[in-house]
Amino acid sequence: MKFPIVAAAVFWCASGKPLETVKLGATGPTGNVKDNMAHTSEHAKKLTGDGLAQQVMDMMTHPVKALPGKTSDGGIGLTQQISAIMAESQQKLAKAQRVHDKMVKKMKKRVSQEFADEAQTIGATLSSFAKELKRSEAELWNVINASKVELAQDEERSDKLQGEEAWETPGSDERAKLYAQIEAAESALTRQKHSDARAVSEVEETVGSAMEDAAQSLSMKVGDLAETSAMAERSIHHLVKAVKVPVLSHSTAPNSVKQAEGFLKAARKTSKDDIKAATKKVNAAIDTESKDIAAQAKAVQVDVDAASKKIIETHLGGPHK
């Protein structure tokens, strides 16, 4: 069998062009024959793995041995067998693709479930945080109201003793101080409510960013996860929004203006301490959850790569490189 026919058949299979379009020289394909053989082998290897590449090289090196069913001119049999090998390779590739698609679908479902589970866990954490902030606000508000009641009662008692027309009544200085404390506490409470709302929103954004990063890193492996991430974020937001202001029992009523002033001062300090502790707690929890999200995403990537490698080895007859 003449080498030009072998080379032409190999180039035909590698290029996908009709056999007659492959140009041959007087004694072989145009260019260096060995280079063409090496190029064809590498191309076949990339397409179908080492198995097909080795078969093609065997045919080119030992055509008679490799092709017992060749025709009298030694060329048509080679072309037919290479075509058969390529057809078989395409069938294997199609099957591998179906198996791979099924695996990717399964992995995407796994990611969706993990995101949903994380949303519930994080939602519970943020809800607890929001509840602590609202409880702190409610407790301070109770003390403010109790102070207002004591201030009004003290003024009433003083008026009864001195008369409403008196220019100055006993305890007026203490009442003025308490009044100033009440106004300051109310302003502080208003600022606290705005600050608390921002704190909850910022934590939600932190979690949302972690989920979006994980979704983006996995999109190249299992497809678009933007909606999956968005659904998880909405779930968290709804859980936080569902938190209501807790109903608290009335705080201990002060029995004097001086005591009311002390209660109010203590309540403001307690509120600050509670917010600080709750913020520290939620930040630690969210840091852990964010790391868990990243770790789960990494685990999925590793599992997808391992499954893809196994599919190639099983269905394409060669190691994944």
Side-chain angles (χ1 to χ4, degrees):
M1 179 181 64
K2 294 183 179 180
F3 187 78
I5 297 178
V6 178
V10 173
F11 273 94
W12 167 64
C13 291
S15 65
K17 298 179 180 179
L19 181 59
E20 59 270 15
T21 64
V22 180
K23 295 182 180 180
L24 303 178
T27 58
T30 303
N32 186 281
V33 172
K34 291 184 178 180
D35 290 343
N36 289 334
M37 289 172 62
H39 173 76
T40 302
S41 175
E42 287 300 317
H43 190 63
K45 185 185 296 184
K46 290 179 181 178
L47 288 174
T48 59
D50 293 335
L52 176 59
Q54 187 59 51
Q55 291 182 57
V56 172
M57 289 302 294
D58 286 345
M59 292 175 191
M60 297 173 73
T61 308
H62 307 290
V64 176
K65 181 179 179 181
L67 300 170
K70 68 182 186 306
T71 57
S72 58
D73 64 2
I76 299 177
L78 172 62
T79 301
Q80 290 175 338
Q81 289 204 21
I82 292 179
S83 297
I85 293 171
M86 294 297 288
E88 181 183 1
S89 176
Q90 290 298 320
Q91 290 175 353
K92 289 181 178 179
L93 183 60
K95 184 176 181 180
Q97 185 64 54
R98 290 194 299 272
V99 175
H100 184 268
D101 290 344
K102 185 176 180 180
M103 178 272 292
V104 167
K105 185 177 181 180
K106 181 179 179 181
M107 287 294 182
K108 191 170 186 178
K109 184 177 180 180
R110 166 183 161 182
V111 172
S112 297
Q113 186 59 54
E114 288 178 351
F115 269 49
D117 292 342
E118 284 291 345
Q120 290 299 312
T121 301
I122 294 171
T125 299
L126 289 189
S127 295
S128 178
F129 176 54
K131 190 177 295 184
E132 281 295 308
L133 298 182
K134 289 184 180 295
R135 182 190 60 77
S136 176
E137 295 168 4
E139 288 180 346
L140 180 56
W141 179 245
N142 274 354
V143 175
I144 290 173
N145 281 338
S147 298
K148 286 182 176 181
V149 170
E150 175 55 30
L151 180 62
Q153 289 177 347
D154 190 76
E155 286 180 342
E156 185 178 353
R157 289 192 296 267
S158 179
D159 289 343
K160 286 180 179 180
L161 290 174
Q162 299 295 324
E164 294 183 2
E165 301 299 327
W167 180 257
E168 186 174 352
T169 58
S172 58
D173 289 342
E174 287 77 8
R175 287 194 296 274
K177 290 180 181 179
L178 178 58
Y179 182 78
Q181 286 283 351
I182 290 172
E183 283 197 326
E186 287 180 324
S187 296
L189 180 58
T190 299
R191 292 193 300 271
Q192 179 181 329
K193 288 181 177 180
H194 291 306
S195 177
D196 291 347
R198 283 196 305 272
V200 173
S201 179
E202 287 173 0
V203 176
E204 281 191 61
E205 289 177 3
T206 299
V207 173
S209 295
M211 287 189 160
E212 289 168 10
D213 289 344
Q216 186 174 4
S217 68
L218 288 171
S219 292
M220 295 297 292
K221 299 291 184 180
V222 299
D224 185 29
L225 291 169
E227 181 57 27
T228 299
S229 175
M231 286 180 62
E233 291 179 56
R234 287 195 295 269
S235 177
I236 293 171
H237 183 70
H238 291 327
L239 288 171
V240 174
K241 280 294 183 182
V243 174
K244 305 296 182 182
V245 177
V247 178
L248 303 176
S249 58
H250 294 293
S251 59
T252 303
N255 54 25
S256 68
V257 170
K258 192 71 174 177
Q259 190 177 58
E261 188 177 346
F263 283 177
L264 196 55
K265 185 177 180 180
R268 291 184 63 181
K269 183 180 184 305
T270 299
S271 180
K272 289 181 179 179
D273 292 343
D274 288 347
I275 292 172
K276 185 177 180 180
T279 302
K280 182 178 180 180
K281 180 180 178 180
V282 76
N283 285 340
I286 293 305
D287 183 60
T288 299
E289 292 296 336
S290 296
K291 290 178 180 177
D292 286 345
I293 292 171
Q296 288 177 349
K298 182 64 176 178
V300 171
Q301 290 177 332
V302 171
D303 290 348
V304 169
D305 288 342
S308 297
K309 181 178 180 180
K310 185 176 181 180
I311 289 170
I312 291 175
E313 291 175 346
T314 301
H315 297 281
L316 298 182
H320 175 53
K321 297 182 179 180

